[in-house]
Amino acid sequence: MMQICDSYSQKHSLFNAMNRFIGAVNNMDQTVMVPSLLRDVPLLLEELDSGGGCAEREPPRSPNGGTYYSCRDMYSHYLLLKSIRNDIEWGVLQQAAEEAAGRKKDKLSGGAGSVDISRGIAEDGEVEEDLEKQFHYHLSGLHTVLSKLTRKANVLTNRYKEEIGANNWGH
């Protein structure tokens, strides 16, 4: 019985979510032999779930009735997913100037008690909010984002196979 509980908890761990994402991107990378074929091929909104849309304007319709994801083509998604995988595997390297500019944008301006989000430090020496609550909030958000990115990598892989007419590869 203990093994069942452990496997359920492990299934929802951040470590496993990262591994699933990295595995999906590696599979995508191995499947997509000619990434340039992805250029100018739109990704349908229905394929990407409701999250991640970037345009508020009415998106164009495809000939088969689907809605195009208007901001990025499949090639852009391919590069984005590979970049995120590299950031997870190797860490994020930022220049000091970019980091300082990012901190300025992250500051919440509320007068007394303003908080620098990038460091989680109260400016006027007030005690931070419950760190455990902050941790769980961000952990949950990261897990959700990784799940969506994993689905995007799988959708892109399957769509690439459809575009080149190789639906039955590896099955």
Side-chain angles (χ1 to χ4, degrees), residues 111-127:
S114 301
V115 176
D116 182 348
I117 294 173
S118 63
R119 294 182 296 175
I121 300 171
E123 286 185 350
D124 60 354
E126 290 182 11
V127 178

Side-chain angles (χ1 to χ4, degrees), residues 29-158:
D29 206 16
Q30 291 172 355
T31 301
V32 177
M33 301 301 258
V34 185
S36 62
L37 291 177
L38 300 172
R39 289 188 191 275
D40 301 324
V41 177
L43 210 50
L44 299 176
L45 280 173
E46 291 85 13
E47 295 174 329
L48 290 178
D49 296 329
S50 59
C54 60
E56 292 182 2
R57 61 190 177 275
E58 181 68 25
R61 303 297 254 167
S62 69
N64 65 1
T67 307
Y68 286 127
Y69 186 72
S70 58
C71 293
R72 293 191 171 158
D73 59 6
M74 286 177 54
Y75 185 73
S76 299
H77 282 280
Y78 174 81
L79 293 177
L80 174 71
L81 292 165
K82 285 184 61 167
S83 173
I84 292 170
R85 178 198 57 193
N86 288 340
D87 288 346
I88 289 173
E89 290 180 330
W90 301 102
V92 180
L93 301 175
Q94 293 180 339
Q95 294 176 350
E98 289 177 321
E99 193 172 311
R103 280 197 199 115
K104 286 180 185 175
K105 288 180 184 175
D106 287 344
K107 274 192 183 170
L108 296 176
S109 57
S114 301
V115 176
D116 182 348
I117 294 173
S118 63
R119 294 182 296 175
I121 300 171
E123 286 185 350
D124 60 354
E126 290 182 11
V127 178
E128 293 182 22
E129 281 191 27
D130 184 11
L131 289 176
E132 185 178 8
K133 188 183 293 184
Q134 289 179 14
F135 172 76
H136 287 289
Y137 173 79
H138 290 291
L139 181 66
S140 174
L142 184 56
H143 194 279
T144 300
V145 168
L146 283 169
S147 296
K148 287 180 180 183
L149 290 170
T150 300
R151 282 193 297 272
K152 284 183 181 188
N154 290 332
V155 164
L156 193 141
T157 302
N158 292 332

